[in-house]
């Protein structure tokens, strides 16, 4: 491979691709090129070196590269390192549905309760994506509040109202329009129905009213 040849010629292992601006290690890890990742690490590459904000471990985790993830962790990759969105490798793996990667990261000590910059946790995003086995793995390790939100999301996803109806309900909660809220609920609407961001009308942004009937 070209990377291995350049390493033999004396090129530094911690280099950034001029086109993608990603580190060579990140690119190899994301693509699952185990032998190249191993060669770079053997040549002294820093397992945490990255060009943009995509760490090698996060890239590998999000693409389901279990063997690469395990190798990077063994060589010193920071298991809870975060990207520009404050998302760690465990969140990336949970979102993409890579069960074996989630298991490997948890075994390496990844924090299952870490939140990104919009409050997403591995359990919450796995629930939203309907990755049942991952949800079952993460639920016992999550906070009580996170488990509750996961249970609500699972419940409401089974009988989710039409988007237009749900939007009117949430908009009424934003405005504090009690009459519209009562009308929705009296017609059989689900008070715990969640929007695409996983928020209910009662537990959305601080400006929303808490429903009390």
């Amino acid at each position: 491979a070209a990377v291995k040849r350049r390493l033999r010629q004396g090129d530094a292992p911690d280099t950034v691709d001029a086109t993608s601006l990603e580190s060579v290690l990140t690119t190899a890890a994301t693509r699952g090129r185990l032998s190249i990742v191993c060669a770079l690490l053997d040549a002294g590459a820093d397992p945490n070196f990255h060009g943009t904000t995509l760490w090698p471990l996060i890239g590998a985790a999000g693409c389901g590269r279990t063997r690469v993830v395990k190798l990077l962790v063994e060589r010193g990759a920071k298991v809870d390192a975060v990207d520009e969105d404050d998302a760690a490798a465990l969140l990336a793996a949970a979102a993409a549905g890579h069960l074996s990667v989630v298991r490997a990261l948890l075994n390496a000590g990844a924090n299952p309760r870490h939140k990104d910059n919009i409050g997403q946790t591995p359990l919450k995003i796995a629930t939203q994506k309907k990755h049942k086995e991952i949800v079952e793995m993460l639920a016992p390790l999550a906070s009580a509040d996170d488990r509750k939100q996961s249970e609500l999301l699972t419940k409401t996803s089974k009988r989710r109202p039409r988007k237009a109806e749900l939007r009117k309900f949430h908009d009424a909660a934003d405005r504090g329009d009690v009459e519209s809220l009562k009308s929705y609920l009296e017609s059989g609407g689900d008070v715990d129905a969640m929007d695409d961001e996983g928020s209910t009308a009662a537990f959305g942004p601080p400006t929303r009213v808490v429903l009390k009937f």
Side-chain angles (χ1 to χ4, degrees):
V3 172
K4 293 180 180 179
R5 183 172 62 252
R6 290 198 297 270
L7 288 173
R8 289 194 297 269
Q9 294 172 349
D11 280 12
D14 288 331
T15 56
V16 174
D17 180 81
T19 302
S20 68
L21 301 181
E22 299 292 357
S23 71
V24 174
L25 181 59
T26 295
T27 300
T30 301
R31 293 177 179 176
R33 305 293 176 80
L34 184 65
S35 64
I36 296 178
V37 172
C38 190
L40 287 165
L41 293 171
D42 287 344
D46 180 353
N48 300 301
F49 179 76
H50 51 98
T52 60
T53 58
L54 183 62
W55 294 60
L57 184 63
I58 297 175
C63 290
R65 315 300 187 185
T66 307
R67 295 173 67 192
V68 174
V69 166
K70 290 180 178 179
L71 177 61
L72 288 169
V73 171
E74 289 171 1
R75 296 296 188 93
K78 296 177 181 177
V79 73
D80 286 325
V82 297
D83 63 15
E84 62 186 351
D85 297 318
D86 208 25
L90 184 58
L91 185 70
H98 299 307
L99 180 65
S100 62
V101 176
V102 170
R103 183 182 293 110
L105 290 168
L106 289 173
N107 289 339
N111 180 8
R113 300 186 180 190
H114 176 78
K115 297 180 180 181
D116 68 8
N117 61 8
I118 60 170
Q120 285 279 30
T121 63
L123 175 60
K124 186 175 180 180
I125 200 165
T127 305
Q128 291 170 339
K129 299 289 186 178
K130 299 182 180 180
H131 300 313
K132 183 179 178 181
E133 290 181 300
I134 294 177
V135 170
E136 291 174 350
M137 183 179 293
L138 291 170
L141 307 173
S143 67
D145 181 65
D146 213 17
R147 285 195 299 273
K148 182 178 179 181
Q149 287 291 314
S150 175
E151 291 166 2
L152 280 173
L153 187 57
T154 299
K155 171 188 172 184
T156 56
S157 66
K158 294 178 180 177
R159 53 186 184 86
R160 191 183 184 95
R162 293 189 303 273
K163 280 193 175 182
E165 181 184 7
L166 181 59
R167 172 50 55 197
K168 288 180 180 179
F169 176 50
H170 280 245
D171 286 347
D174 285 333
R175 298 192 308 270
D177 185 349
V178 176
E179 291 304 315
S180 294
L181 296 174
K182 284 183 177 180
S183 176
Y184 169 85
L185 296 172
E186 288 170 357
S187 67
D190 184 3
V191 69
D192 292 323
M194 292 186 180
D195 61 16
D196 291 335
E197 297 177 352
S199 297
T200 66
F203 297 100
T207 55
R208 287 186 174 169
V209 297
V210 176
L211 305 182
K212 295 180 180 179
F213 300 114

